[in-house]
Amino acid sequence: MNRNKQIPAACYPCIFEQLHSLAMVTGLEGDGEKLLFEHSMLHLLATHGEGLVVQHIIRSATDRAIALSGKVGDYDPYGAIKKQSNDIARQFAGEFRNKIRRSSEPLRVAVKIAAAGNIIDFGAKRHGSLDVEKELCTIDERAFGCFDFAEFSTRLKLAGKLLYICDNAGEIVFDRLFIEEILRTNPGLEVTCAVRALPVINDAVLADAHDAGLDEVAVVVSSGSVYPGTLLDETSEEFRMLFDNADVIISKGQGNFETLLDIADERLFFILRIKCDQMARLSSVAKGELVLMQGGKVRST
């Protein structure tokens, strides 16, 4: 069975943490939070986690939480948190941009900043447990457990079209720095950034991308994905065409890694920080380390 078509038991505690966080940010208390947990538990019990991925559970839970909270229209449960994440990241952007430009190997530094910025993830850490400023101050302490940089830089030099699949708000501020450096050395490259179609956890949507200024360095589109990841069959036709026609694809973050790993070819490069034991098993990289991993390679898991 495709490993993306079942939920490992190790992921259940993380799901429950996300449900609790979702209840907090939507103002659900007591019976409301209980109803949210019961809604998701029924899905898990009915399927035993098979034929169902974590992304489906979180999407369903998000819709249920919004309904239970009585919010209508374009309500984004994590909207204020995402704006705060972008604002905090911007405080470091100037310093990191200078760090990139002063380096003798600026692209390497830009990759590290983009990868380390992946810590801004309330999907992997409960809201309130993450000190974003502290994490960003310790970027230099992070190491790569997998660093397919030679392959990445070679393919980038030959590329005409780059598809950049974004992950979280806040993190996208550092994605912008990375793209700036990519374009500085590859000025003719066409760069398209894809974000989620609907709010889910703190994943970036179009409004977040515009707030971070991504549209100033790339074309920004919705992938059509309503999940915290990229289930290719459930994205838009426009996105699938971009995916098929890209010379290089950058996939940021854990959700995209989980959902694209099995179909990734050598055009695709995963950039993320390993945040849990399950991701460590899938990547063969130790928890806490950074990853720049080319797709299409056989790795033990």
Side-chain angles (χ1 to χ4, degrees), residues 129-298:
S129 70
L130 181 59
D131 186 336
V132 174
E133 292 189 61
K134 179 181 177 182
E135 292 288 349
L136 294 181
C137 286
T138 59
I139 275 181
D140 284 339
E141 300 173 17
R142 306 301 171 189
F144 277 92
C146 175
F147 195 51
D148 291 336
F149 182 76
E151 296 88 340
F152 174 69
S153 56
T154 297
R155 283 188 171 265
L156 201 58
K157 289 173 185 175
L158 301 173
K161 296 180 180 179
L162 167 65
L163 174 62
Y164 199 113
I165 307 175
C166 298
D167 191 28
N168 302 319
E171 177 183 352
I172 56 178
V173 172
F174 305 121
D175 293 332
R176 174 180 174 168
L177 300 181
F178 185 27
I179 292 168
E180 286 177 0
E181 180 56 31
I182 288 172
L183 288 173
R184 190 186 69 79
T185 54
N186 302 271
L189 189 64
E190 295 179 22
V191 181
T192 301
C193 291
V195 296
R196 310 293 186 237
L198 290 176
V200 59
I201 320 179
N202 69 324
D203 286 20
V205 294
L206 288 171
D208 305 311
H210 291 306
D211 180 57
L214 267 185
D215 56 317
E216 297 174 18
V217 296
V219 175
V220 181
V221 300
S222 163
S223 69
S225 175
V226 299
Y227 306 103
T230 304
L231 298 165
L232 198 58
D233 290 344
E234 300 181 52
T235 58
S236 68
E237 182 177 354
E238 176 192 14
F239 176 81
R240 291 194 296 274
M241 288 181 63
L242 288 167
F243 191 94
D244 290 342
N245 293 328
D247 300 306
V248 175
I249 302 168
I250 294 173
S251 165
K252 285 297 300 293
Q254 178 171 302
N256 289 326
F257 179 76
E258 289 179 289
T259 49
L260 291 172
L261 180 60
D262 283 336
I263 63 168
D265 57 35
E266 294 186 353
R267 299 174 302 147
L268 197 151
F269 292 85
F270 296 103
I271 299 178
L272 68 153
R273 181 175 169 186
I274 302 302
K275 300 167 191 158
C276 69
D277 293 334
Q278 175 65 11
M279 287 300 99
R281 283 191 289 271
L282 286 179
S283 64
S284 299
V285 173
K287 187 164 67 173
E289 292 186 332
L290 306 180
V291 166
L292 170 62
M293 179 185 291
Q294 186 176 24
K297 293 185 174 181
V298 177

Side-chain angles (χ1 to χ4, degrees), residues 16-92:
F16 298 147
E17 286 279 11
Q18 290 189 42
L19 294 176
H20 178 63
S21 177
L22 184 57
M24 288 174 59
V25 299
T26 51
L28 297 179
E29 297 179 356
D31 288 344
E33 183 171 2
K34 182 172 177 286
L35 288 170
L36 179 62
F37 268 82
E38 289 175 348
H39 170 82
S40 298
M41 286 293 291
L42 285 172
H43 277 276
L44 291 169
L45 289 171
T47 63
H48 302 288
E50 296 183 3
L52 188 70
V53 293
V54 172
Q55 286 73 19
H56 286 134
I57 288 287
I58 300 306
R59 174 73 263 161
S60 179
T62 300
D63 293 339
R64 182 61 172 156
I66 292 172
L68 288 169
S69 69
K71 303 294 196 302
V72 295
D74 57 355
Y75 172 57
D76 184 344
Y78 281 83
I81 294 168
K82 291 194 290 181
K83 180 66 168 67
Q84 182 184 37
S85 295
N86 273 355
D87 289 344
I88 291 172
R90 266 191 288 265
Q91 294 174 21
F92 291 84

